[in-house]
Amino acid sequence: MGFAHETVSRDERYHGAIFSVYTDQVTMSDGSTAARDVVENRGAVVVVALDDQDRVVLIRQYRHPVKQHLWELPAGLRDVVGEDEALTAARELAEEADLTAGRIESLIDLHTSPGFADEWVRVFLARDLAPVPEADRYVRTAEEADLQVRLVDLDEAVAMVFRGEITNAAAVGGILAAARARDTGWKILRSA
């Protein structure tokens, strides 16, 4: 086991509804102390939803920090305290893609930017898809109001990753992991 880094002090720089920013003074293995800026947030779930024709559900929505519309997977913050992550994933799939899943399994876990953020994302695989009844559909607002939903063959989604058309880190990881899991006959999946 390596050196046990310790936080000797913490200064809050920003506190918001989705994330907070701190500057920590952390002990280094050479005996010094260094400042490290840390973004803390609630984490998220992401859903690779595959239909019975091996097509993945992609959504396209505006992401202001990069000032462009990105192809992504249905996803959302873990913003309901105590909610099981698989239920959060099912809720986000219904809200963003108007779909339910008969089967949800854990696919991969990601630290999206561990150099400065504690964000942890669990990516789920959802199968046995069915549409949410029209009367029960979630009304999308804000940047989700013009959200586009598209079914894309999983192999084409992999190609989109390698062409640079899908750049969202969790989407890249989820799509590549789903393709690998499929190629192993789903033997590497974990239960949700």
Side-chain angles (χ1 to χ4, degrees):
M1 188 164 144
F3 180 81
H5 298 273
E6 296 180 19
T7 301
V8 295
S9 69
R10 168 168 270 199
D11 292 319
E12 185 176 83
R13 303 295 185 190
Y14 169 79
H15 182 79
I18 296 175
F19 65 87
S20 297
V21 180
Y22 302 92
T23 299
D24 293 346
Q25 294 296 324
V26 182
T27 58
M28 298 288 115
S29 50
D30 68 358
S32 66
T33 302
R36 294 291 181 258
D37 292 330
V38 177
V39 177
E40 287 188 353
N41 74 17
R42 300 174 183 182
V45 297
V46 177
V47 184
V48 178
L50 282 179
D51 72 4
D52 58 3
Q53 297 173 44
D54 208 27
R55 297 178 301 179
V56 64
V57 175
L58 295 180
I59 62 169
R60 187 168 174 85
Q61 73 177 23
Y62 181 71
R63 294 298 190 180
H64 183 70
V66 295
K67 294 177 180 49
Q68 54 185 303
H69 286 80
L70 298 179
W71 284 111
E72 302 179 341
L73 297 169
L77 295 174
R78 294 185 314 210
D79 55 1
V80 177
V81 177
E83 183 176 53
D84 180 87
E85 291 157 354
L87 291 176
T88 306
R91 179 171 47 82
E92 292 297 337
L93 181 62
E95 289 178 4
E96 294 189 352
D98 300 322
L99 293 169
T100 63
R103 185 169 30 162
I104 295 183
E105 297 158 293
S106 292
L107 188 58
I108 58 172
D109 296 327
L110 302 169
H111 286 106
T112 56
S113 299
F116 67 89
D118 72 345
E119 183 178 45
W120 176 80
V121 173
R122 173 153 291 162
V123 181
F124 289 92
L125 176 68
R127 294 182 285 174
D128 300 335
L129 304 179
V132 172
E134 193 79 35
D136 297 333
R137 291 189 177 175
Y138 181 78
V139 177
R140 294 191 272 274
T141 60
E143 73 270 5
E144 293 179 344
D146 68 344
L147 192 142
Q148 299 173 42
V149 179
R150 182 172 154 199
L151 287 168
V152 176
D153 181 81
L154 182 57
D155 290 326
E156 173 57 19
V158 169
M160 290 172 73
V161 167
F162 287 106
R163 289 193 305 259
E165 296 168 15
I166 298 175
T167 58
N168 172 290
V172 169
I175 289 166
L176 296 179
R180 177 68 178 137
R182 178 204 55 199
D183 293 346
T184 66
W186 309 110
K187 294 176 186 169
I188 61 175
L189 294 176
R190 298 174 285 157
S191 67

